[in-house]
């Protein structure tokens, strides 16, 4: 049987939409590797993660190799963000390459090996954050939103490597209350603000151009929105695959 990592998720969204904040409730943080690819950007909450500042793309491989070799020490890995990781690879290995065709091939293989070798063999919760960009598809007359990448990776997009892709959104309380999601807690503070930062788990009529996806049956229509909480998301995935 083909081996997969059932606890692999892509948390995508615009900058400042709550991607990093969604990590705040992860338990046993001292046993999570947080790979910071964004020039040492600080997380917006106090934490106990094993923080590794990534300034060389292949450092990510080393972090997964360490986690695989020390399963009792590491519960999960976070990459923040894959957008900056791939831009870093381009800057270091593609831009000044004497053979750009080969360099773009290496760019593709770097990501493919990360997802199909390192992530799979780790086999534990892996949370990858990614910034999104929206562009007008003139042929379809709709806005399309995805995590931007280049080269051959752009054809299918990095989302194709994930079974579960959620998007961080700021949604009005009035809209959220239409769904009655059991994965969503609306606080008094949320009501005072009039909106809440959430994960969108399913496509809606307004977001057909996005690449949100999940296994059939993972989320009901009522669960289209849920708390932007990676612990809740991972727990939901675990329960789903346990059957």
């Amino acid at each position: 049987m083909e081996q997969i990592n059932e606890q692999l998720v892509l948390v995508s969204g615009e900058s400042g939409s709550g991607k990093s904040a969604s990590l705040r409730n992860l338990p046993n943080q001292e046993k999570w590797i947080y790979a910071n690819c964004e020039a040492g950007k600080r997380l917006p909450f106090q934490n106990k993660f094993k923080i590794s500042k990534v300034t060389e793309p292949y450092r990510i491989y080393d972090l997964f190799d360490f986690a695989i070799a020390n399963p009792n020490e590491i519960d999960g890995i976070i990459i923040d963000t894959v957008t900056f990781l791939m831009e870093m690879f381009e800057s270091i290995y593609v831009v000044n390459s004497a053979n750009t065709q080969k360099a773009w091939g290496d760019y593709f293989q770097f990501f493919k090996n990360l997802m199909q070798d390192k992530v799979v063999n780790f086999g534990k919760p892996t949370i990858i954050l990614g910034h999104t960009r929206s562009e007008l598809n003139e042929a379809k007359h709709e806005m399309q939103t995805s995590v931007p990448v280049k080269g051959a990776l752009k054809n299918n997009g990095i989302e194709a490597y994930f079974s579960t892709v959620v998007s961080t959104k700021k949604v009005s309380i009035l809209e959220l209350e239409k769904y009655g999601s059991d994965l969503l807690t609306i606080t008094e503070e949320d009501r005072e603000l009039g909106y809440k930062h959430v994960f969108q788990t399913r496509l809606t009529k307004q977001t057909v151009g996005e690449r949100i996806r999940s296994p059939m049956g993972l989320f009901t229509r009522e669960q289209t929105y849920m708390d932007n909480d990676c612990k809740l998301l991972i727990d939901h995935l675990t329960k789903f695959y346990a059957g």
Side-chain angles (χ1 to χ4, degrees), residues 28-44:
N28 305 315
Q29 292 183 359
E30 63 280 357
K31 298 182 75 173
W32 279 74
I33 292 174
Y34 173 77
N36 187 344
C37 304
E38 300 209 355
K41 181 193 76 173
R42 288 183 178 274
L43 282 166

Side-chain angles (χ1 to χ4, degrees), residues 54-158:
V54 178
T55 57
E56 209 296 326
Y58 286 100
R59 170 68 176 154
I60 290 287
Y61 284 12
D62 296 337
L63 296 175
F64 274 93
D65 290 342
F66 173 83
I68 293 165
N70 299 275
N72 294 328
E73 291 185 34
I74 305 300
D75 284 351
I77 297 178
I78 300 156
I79 298 177
D80 187 1
T81 60
V82 66
T83 316
F84 275 68
L85 176 64
M86 298 312 294
E87 286 179 358
M88 188 189 308
F89 191 99
E90 181 186 357
S91 296
I92 295 175
Y93 294 109
V94 179
V95 172
N96 295 316
S97 173
N99 185 340
T100 53
Q101 185 175 356
K102 178 183 181 301
W104 281 117
D106 293 341
Y107 172 96
F108 176 80
Q109 288 300 325
F110 167 75
F111 184 77
K112 184 178 178 181
N113 291 338
L114 171 64
M115 301 303 294
Q116 298 185 344
D117 178 14
K118 304 302 182 182
V119 169
V120 169
N121 286 314
F122 176 49
K124 291 184 179 182
T126 304
I127 301 168
I128 299 181
L129 311 185
H131 296 298
T132 54
R133 179 189 299 157
S134 297
E135 297 177 339
L136 178 64
N137 182 322
E138 295 184 358
K140 293 185 177 181
H141 302 288
E142 67 180 22
M143 294 300 292
Q144 295 196 325
T145 303
S146 62
V147 176
V149 284
K150 297 182 180 180
L153 263 182
K154 189 175 183 180
N155 295 335
N156 293 321
I158 67 167

